[in-house]
Amino acid sequence: GAVVSQHPSRVICKSGTSVKIECRSLDFQATTMFWYRQFPKQSLMLMATSNEGSKATYEQGVEKDKFLINHASLTLSTLTVTSAHPEDSSFYICSAAGGPNNEQFFGPGTRLTVL
Amino acid sequence: GQQLNQSPQSMFIQEGEDVSMNCTSSSIFNTWLWYKQDPGEGPVLLIALYKAGELTSNGRLTAQFGITRKDSFLNISASIPSDVGIYFCAGDGSNTGNQFYFGTGTSLTVIP
């Protein structure tokens, strides 16, 4: 299947700082990427849909000014958690749409811990 | 966003047993996907289904796209310890573009 990478895999930061997470599709071009958040023992919750060359579409309840998304190219989308707080600690996973029916291929996830 | 109803929520089975889980939706979907997620990792695509009634296998895994287009089933035959993980279904509706909605997950534990 298609390969999606995510960096960093784990990050620990102080409260109030900003953290950038990168999502890359390594062997295919993805016009659409998705950002999810997952709490322990729960399902994936879609945060936003990232479209190359245009603004991201955020799900209800997700603050667009806090979770900045930039889809600069067909292979890269970034999520920046601004002014992070302990409640932002979570597992963040990206996916890229590819394949014949735009199946989603997931990155390995980023574990964010805000102290 | 919308979530799909997935059951059972968790399963504890003996190695060698067969497993069955399902996913239902109030909406019609055009595509059903099944993923497996290991702890601390991203979900991995297992099977993709594209039309109603379709039955697709991937090794010991078999999945079916329900005739009503509102449900899907995943079966695992002769389970082994490495089948342990959380299984998610995902569905794509006709008016959701590339967006897929995910099930609540089934946690599978295989007892050796």
Side-chain angles (χ1 to χ4, degrees), chain B residues 22-112:
Chain B
N22 70 80
C23 206
T24 60
S25 168
S26 57
S27 304
I28 290 174
F29 286 136
N30 295 325
T31 303
W32 281 97
L33 306 177
W34 283 94
Y35 291 88
K36 178 180 182 244
Q37 184 178 28
D38 291 327
E41 298 184 15
V44 174
L45 182 63
L46 300 174
I47 292 179
L49 302 161
Y50 302 110
K51 57 183 180 181
E54 180 180 356
L55 185 70
T56 298
S57 294
N58 178 7
R60 293 178 295 107
L61 278 63
T62 302
Q64 184 164 24
F65 194 140
I67 292 292
T68 65
R69 294 170 63 193
K70 293 183 177 182
D71 57 7
S72 180
F73 305 87
L74 175 70
N75 295 316
I76 305 173
S77 62
S79 60
I80 58 178
S82 61
D83 290 333
V84 167
I86 301 179
Y87 292 79
F88 291 102
C89 62
D92 166 27
S94 59
N95 59 348
T96 60
N98 292 330
Q99 182 177 325
F100 280 80
Y101 296 106
F102 281 82
T104 47
T106 295
S107 174
L108 177 64
T109 301
V110 179
I111 303 169

Side-chain angles (χ1 to χ4, degrees), chain A residues 32 36 38 43 102-104, chain B residues 35 37 42 50 98 100 102-103:
Chain A
T32 306
Y36 295 85
Q38 186 179 35
S43 185
N102 287 310
E103 297 92 328
Q104 290 189 30
Chain B
Y35 291 88
Q37 184 178 28
Y50 302 110
N98 292 330
F100 280 80
F102 281 82

Side-chain angles (χ1 to χ4, degrees), chain A residues 17-30:
Chain A
T17 61
S18 295
V19 174
K20 179 186 282 188
I21 303 170
E22 292 186 350
C23 179
R24 294 180 185 272
S25 58
L26 298 185
D27 52 1
F28 67 102
Q29 294 183 330

